[in-house]
Amino acid sequence: MPKSVSPDYQYCPRCAKPLTPTTRGGLPRPTCTSCGFVHFRNPAVGVAVVLLDDAGRILLGRRSAGGNLGQWCIPCGYVEWGEDIRAAARREFLEETGIDVAIGEVCAVHSNFHNPTSLTVGVWFYAEQTGGKLRASDDLDHVAWFPPDAPPEPLAFPTDRLVLADLSRISAKRR
């Protein structure tokens, strides 16, 4: 498990005094001995949408930005502060693919450790198309349908590989 001490905070955001690592909950946490502020470094929440076509293929996108340039992923993004998690999934999917969806059941939940400086908890949702026109946009430069057991390489995120493997097993059971 990654350490919770954050290099992001050296001074208290409330009173500007230096922070001191103090053990709380069994982990060292930046703490202000002046005002009592404790920085709990928590992962961000990410969302992804699993859209399957009638042939059982999944819509994937090729990333056009960030550290995973040119790599493929299940369309995804972050939940904004104050945003409902399902609304975030719908918004991110529409922004990246041009397709509007109705968000359904949770497909998978995974902790993402592939970027040690930006840990996330990802929630993948099943969805059904309700409108829109397929086009790559925002963080994607290409979108296409693939069988879950034959995704394009390279994949951007190790947890997408886990989700695709689960979808492949489910598909194989239905045959």
Side-chain angles (χ1 to χ4, degrees):
M1 180 169 79
K3 295 180 181 178
S4 70
V5 173
S6 171
D8 303 332
Y9 285 95
Q10 295 180 15
Y11 297 94
C12 180
R14 290 187 189 158
C15 71
K17 302 287 187 194
L19 296 175
T20 304
T22 304
T23 301
R24 282 192 67 164
L27 294 171
R29 305 192 191 273
T31 303
C32 182
T33 57
S34 179
C35 75
F37 170 80
V38 178
H39 175 58
F40 291 92
R41 189 176 190 197
N42 298 317
V45 178
V47 289
V49 172
V50 173
L51 184 64
L52 302 172
D53 69 5
D54 291 339
R57 298 176 304 169
I58 185 170
L59 186 65
L60 300 178
R62 189 174 62 200
R63 300 189 61 80
S64 62
N68 302 97
L69 185 67
Q71 298 179 5
W72 291 84
C73 68
I74 298 171
C76 59
Y78 289 103
V79 178
E80 297 290 342
W81 187 263
E83 185 177 32
D84 176 81
I85 192 169
R86 285 174 170 77
R90 180 174 175 242
R91 174 187 53 77
E92 285 286 351
F93 197 76
L94 180 61
E95 287 174 3
E96 293 188 345
T97 69
I99 295 178
D100 199 6
V101 291
I103 300 298
E105 297 295 318
V106 171
C107 172
V109 177
H110 293 286
S111 294
N112 295 304
F113 299 110
H114 58 272
N115 181 352
T117 62
S118 180
L119 302 182
T120 63
V121 172
V123 181
W124 287 255
F125 290 98
Y126 288 110
E128 292 185 18
Q129 183 172 351
T130 59
K133 184 173 179 176
L134 184 62
R135 60 160 174 69
S137 187
D138 197 35
D139 294 338
L140 304 179
D141 65 5
H142 189 70
V143 286
W145 298 94
F146 296 92
D149 61 352
E153 294 293 341
L155 286 177
F157 308 117
T159 45
D160 275 355
R161 191 172 303 284
L162 297 174
V163 173
L164 293 169
D166 286 345
L167 291 171
S168 295
R169 280 191 289 280
I170 292 167
S171 177
K173 287 181 182 179
R174 289 183 181 157
R175 286 185 226 152

